Amino acid sequence: MPKHLNDRLQGTLDLLILTTLARGGPQHGYAIAQRIHQVTNDSLRIEEGSLYPALQRMASDKWLRAQWGTTDTGRKARFYTITPAGRRQLEIEQERWGLLTEAVNRAIRFA
């Protein structure tokens, strides 16, 4: 069953993560959060308590592949890569985001 349009308000994290991985290649969780923070001019900060459960859920849904690797600083970390299913989901999330922002813009203009 498709998600209701209102679910997009809480579902933007999936869109942010999938977009980050689609554009930036494999990354570990901390790097994903830092990249989102950076590209939003420090406007969005993804907390660990939201990020890591989302990454685990998305890996379970087969949108992401996770494998252990070593960071630039020599620490072991799980690196996430977007899968073909994740790319399809990214298209769906982008479309849903577009519908939500159009609806909000209409409400702002005509309310």
Side-chain angles (χ1 to χ4, degrees):
M1 182 169 147
K3 291 183 176 181
H4 189 274
L5 185 61
N6 292 341
D7 291 339
R8 292 297 86 213
L9 293 173
Q10 293 180 342
T12 57
L13 184 55
D14 291 358
L15 176 60
L16 292 168
I17 291 170
L18 291 170
T19 299
T20 300
L21 292 172
R23 292 185 181 163
Q27 297 177 54
H28 54 84
Y30 180 76
I32 293 168
Q34 287 301 104
R35 183 65 182 154
I36 292 168
H37 187 69
Q38 176 188 24
V39 300
T40 62
N41 295 323
D42 303 333
S43 296
L44 298 178
R45 183 177 305 274
I46 309 302
E47 301 295 332
E48 288 182 20
S50 299
L51 177 65
Y52 290 102
L55 290 169
Q56 290 175 345
R57 176 182 46 77
M58 295 167 77
S60 293
D61 290 342
K62 308 250 188 282
W63 299 349
L64 304 179
R65 184 181 316 78
Q67 64 185 73
W68 287 100
T70 305
T71 67
D72 294 339
T73 60
R75 300 182 88 179
K76 286 191 72 163
R78 289 185 80 178
F79 282 75
Y80 297 90
T81 306
I82 191 168
T83 65
R87 290 189 185 279
R88 288 189 297 275
Q89 188 63 33
L90 175 56
E91 290 178 12
I92 292 167
E93 297 297 330
Q94 288 171 328
E95 182 178 336
R96 288 176 178 167
W97 179 253
L99 292 172
L100 174 66
T101 56
E102 286 175 23
V104 169
N105 283 330
R106 280 192 305 275
I108 290 169
R109 283 193 312 264
F110 303 114

